[in-house]
């Protein structure tokens, strides 16, 4: 099963400073900013047309450890098959499947180092 990195998520302390760093200093393009709930802001940056995105999340939850500050998102063609493979391999699904949008679904697992991995299927992009 092919997987590609779709984004790396970083929980930030200061969204405006982080946006300036990734946008103005590193030269990445701000793709979108939104607030799914009042206490959370999410911003996506992209370096080029084919590369993975950087997702910045600022919220009031107070992230403290490095394992909680970063996660990596992988895109798959078939989330159900991946869930079965994870189950057969003894990997616990922490959350999900969750609906991210009309045709986008995801689950969360942890790698052996404690880093959170988000596995995403976007059925809308498969058409």
């Amino acid at each position: 099963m092919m997987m590609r990195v779709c984004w790396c998520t970083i929980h930030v302390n200061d969204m405006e400073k982080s946006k300036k760093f990734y946008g103005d200093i590193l030269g990445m393009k701000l793709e979108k900013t939104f607030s799914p709930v009042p206490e959370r802001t999410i911003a996506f940056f992209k370096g080029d047309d084919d590369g993975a995105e950087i997702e910045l999340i600022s919220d009031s939850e107070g992230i403290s450890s490095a394992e909680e500050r970063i996660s990596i998102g992988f895109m798959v063609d078939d989330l159900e098959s991946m869930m079965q493979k994870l189950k057969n391999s003894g990997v616990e699904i922490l959350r999900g499947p969750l609906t991210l949008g009309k045709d986008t679904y995801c689950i969360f697992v942890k790698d052996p180092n404690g880093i959170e991995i988000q596995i995403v299927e976007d059925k809308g992009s498969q058409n």
Side-chain angles (χ1 to χ4, degrees):
M1 172 174 294
M2 290 295 296
M3 292 179 43
R4 67 174 174 83
V5 175
C6 52
W7 58 68
C8 180
T9 301
I10 303 169
H11 289 264
V12 301
N13 295 324
D14 186 320
M15 180 60 83
E16 292 311 310
K17 284 183 180 179
S18 297
K19 285 168 74 174
K20 182 176 179 172
F21 177 79
Y22 286 97
D24 297 345
I25 297 171
L26 294 186
M28 298 181 80
K29 180 182 174 194
L30 178 62
E31 292 287 309
K32 60 185 169 186
T33 302
F34 60 97
S35 293
V37 293
E39 62 275 356
R40 178 174 288 168
T41 301
I42 299 174
F44 278 93
F45 283 84
K46 198 163 195 174
D48 61 35
D49 290 337
D50 295 329
E53 294 176 306
I54 298 291
E55 176 188 31
L56 305 178
I57 298 179
S58 174
D59 58 33
S60 60
E61 293 179 8
I63 305 300
S64 59
S65 70
E67 292 85 5
E68 294 174 314
R69 285 201 169 279
I70 190 164
S71 68
I72 303 169
F74 289 94
M75 189 70 67
V76 296
D77 292 330
D78 185 349
L79 187 60
E80 288 293 326
S81 294
M82 178 54 69
M83 289 171 55
Q84 189 60 49
K85 182 176 183 178
L86 291 164
K87 181 180 176 183
N88 293 344
S89 299
V91 176
E92 176 186 0
I93 296 174
L94 302 172
R95 294 186 309 280
L98 304 172
T99 303
L100 300 179
K102 180 181 173 193
D103 295 315
T104 307
Y105 307 91
C106 75
I107 59 170
F108 289 87
V109 299
K110 284 197 177 183
D111 83 351
N113 304 294
I115 303 297
E116 192 168 78
I117 304 296
Q118 183 179 16
I119 302 174
V120 181
E121 177 184 5
D122 183 355
K123 293 182 180 190
S125 69
Q126 296 174 10
N127 298 329

